[in-house]
Amino acid sequence: MIAGNSTKSGGPAVRLENLDKYYGTFRALRNVNLSVERGEKIVVCGPSGSGKSTMIRCINRLEQHNGGRITVLGAELNDDVGNIDGIRREVGMVFQHFNLFPHMTVLENCMLAPMIVRKQPRAEAEVRARRYLEKVRIPEQAMKFPGQLSGGQQQRVAIARALCMQPQIMLFDEPTSALDPEMISEVLDVMVTLASEGMTMICVTHEMGFARRVADRVVFMDAGEIVEEAPPEEFFSASRNERTQRFLSQVLGH
Amino acid sequence: MVSLLRNQKVRNALLQVLYVGSLAAMVLACVMIARRNLAAQGITSGFDFLFKSTGWDVNFSLLPATANDPYWWYFLIGIINTLFLGSTGLLMATVVGTIVGLARTSSNELARLLGRTYVDIFRNIPLILQVFFWYAVITHLPTPRAAHQGLGMLLTSRGLYVPVPNVGNLAMVATAVALIAAVVLPVWLGRTARLSRPVGERLGIQVAGAAAALVCAAIILAVGRLPDLPLVDFPALQGLNLRGGLRIPPEFSALAIAIAIYGGSYIAEIVRGGFKSVGKGQMEAAQSLGLSPWRIFTLVRLPLALRAMLPILANQYVWLMKATTMGIAVGFTDFFMIVALTINHSGQTLEAIGILMAGFLAINLSLAAVFNRINRAIALKGNQLRG
């Protein structure tokens, strides 16, 4: 399953140790520690600017951390380009604004990376792309361009595109925040299916219903630190942390 | 009747009729006045002069030219000179603009500074001054006897002498076509094979395409070569002058360099804008999929930047094509200068200017049409507002 020798089996899927990240003099992450087991589903929540996105963007090196250690599938994420490439092959990411390639069809979006990065032959890549498009329930849109789809459809294509690389870990960075209410559920449904199949997932989201249904653990962040880490039933009903309670009352209050 | 005048459709139709009618009346008046004035001066209007011989020479021509040739042949020479200067200038300006534009978007601070300085300087000096500057530089190059030499070429104050193959005219054109195919074919093959074949195989097809075109060019050269002459005609010093090869006059070089450098500064800004317009998100998505920086550039960043650049680039190309009329300032016989000389010698002002305008319209409208086609072919489908 694992391409290259930069990642090896055994140990947690993702481990963050004493992670620090600065933007200039602003400290975006403070001493973050988190360990995610294989097959685990983590929901990360917290007020805006709390470092949630920064944290998961560090995991596939869209942001460079300034201190601490990141280990993904047994390989340490450092300046070694081989490690970065190896980790990116195994870690899929879904963005808030979908970020599809607008000059390629939906099918081409899904086939591009497998063909170039995984060196899959075209026929195989196409079969796999169509299978994942079926999985996200838009096989009929394969020949359309991203600009011709609704937001919810685009986000499902983005999920299929990431899955086509057959990653072991999926990162979701506020996947439903840019969507109209009626499109949120079609994306969440796909994510729930993915979770039920045992994918390791780290989701930054404000969908608390999704967190309740799917998460093994909820991580609450504020001002660049992890404030609380708990199973959802405990997090939503029994949290004694004052910052968590304030956040929950704002998110669930109306 | 009044109610009819209040009808919007009737009103619009009436306005149209009024507008077209007054325009036609104006044109008619102009033509009649011009005819009367010309008749009073004893000038016969019409295009008969096109078939008379000119009696003067041109200083640069890609076609054979003598003073006995008729005006229409000279117009053709002028158009070809303009196209030659324009295409050389545009090509060089594009190369300069791409390099400077990429420098301006570079993450290297020194490159950005150099790029910005370049644009600030050359965009803000009038083109005609730059033409005079380069003309002065080139005409102060050494005399033929002390010529700079390199690659079989000679650089002197009388111009740049380049070696040319000793082949017939037809073979020359065919070779040029084959050489253009050697560049276009790999690009086209790469496009059609995009995503349908693995990268290695695609590169092989492209190389094969280019090689086939180059072999064709070589065969054409071998077959079309003139008997009893060496294959390539190298320029060489003979007495006080240079013989052989093709002479690119200083006027042409000065204009081409000025257009390249001045146009390059504008194109650099277009290139920069194009690359800046590509969303960071698409590049991050490509990174997160594990694509290499080079792949991200060729498959995502460049294709998207090109789409943003092309419409503005077409505009700039049309503008630079018109800038070739600077030829008259240093005495390069482009289309405009030939028309100006024609007016001096034949007195057929209206006809010659009409031909000049029609010629430039034809050149620039064709250029615009080609770009519009490309634009339509590669336009992004659907609504792009959703990021």
Side-chain angles (χ1 to χ4, degrees), chain A residues 161-210:
Chain A
R161 176 178 68 178
L163 290 177
C164 280
M165 281 294 284
Q166 296 179 292
Q168 304 190 37
I169 301 168
M170 284 287 286
L171 307 174
F172 292 84
D173 189 2
E174 306 208 22
T176 56
S177 302
L179 296 178
D180 292 337
E182 73 269 25
M183 293 171 185
I184 290 178
S185 63
E186 67 189 45
V187 171
L188 289 181
D189 285 348
V190 169
M191 290 170 66
V192 170
T193 313
L194 201 57
S196 69
E197 289 167 1
M199 174 65 78
T200 310
M201 292 164 67
I202 305 179
C203 314
V204 172
T205 182
H206 294 126
E207 297 299 328
M208 292 303 140
F210 173 78

Side-chain angles (χ1 to χ4, degrees), chain A residues 57 88 99-100 103 122 147, chain B residues 195 281-282 284-285 287 299 383:
Chain A
R57 286 164 61 86
R88 281 181 176 163
N99 298 351
L100 294 173
H103 57 304
R122 180 190 163 87
Chain B
L195 286 180
Q282 272 77 32
E284 283 181 350
Q287 278 181 325
L299 293 171
N383 175 10

Side-chain angles (χ1 to χ4, degrees), chain B residues 209-223:
Chain B
L214 287 177
V215 168
C216 277
I219 292 172
I220 294 166
L221 276 182
V223 171

Side-chain angles (χ1 to χ4, degrees), chain A residues 1 10 44 50 66 98 124 130 135 223 254:
Chain A
M1 276 306 281
V44 185
S50 60
N66 304 111
F98 333 132
E124 191 188 329
R130 288 193 186 276
K135 193 183 170 83
H254 47 86

Side-chain angles (χ1 to χ4, degrees), chain A residues 57 60 62 88 91 93 95 97-104 108 111-113 115-117 122 145 147-151 154 161-162 165, chain B residues 194-199 280-292 295 299-300 303-304 307 378 380-384 386-387:
Chain A
R57 286 164 61 86
N60 66 353
L62 288 183
R88 281 181 176 163
V91 179
M93 186 157 193
F95 299 84
H97 294 289
F98 333 132
N99 298 351
L100 294 173
F101 306 129
H103 57 304
M104 300 180 187
E108 285 173 331
M111 289 162 58
L112 181 72
M115 284 175 64
I116 286 171
V117 181
R122 180 190 163 87
F145 285 84
Q148 297 167 319
L149 305 183
S150 74
Q154 287 193 54
R161 176 178 68 178
M165 281 294 284
Chain B
R194 189 176 69 119
L195 286 180
S196 68
R197 287 163 196 280
V199 178
K280 233 179 83 198
Q282 272 77 32
M283 260 118 78
E284 283 181 350
Q287 278 181 325
S288 76
L289 288 166
L291 292 167
S292 66
R295 289 282 175 202
L299 293 171
V300 179
L304 289 176
R307 283 168 170 81
I378 64 171
L380 296 178
K381 311 279 187 306
N383 175 10
Q384 299 305 317
R386 274 186 248 270

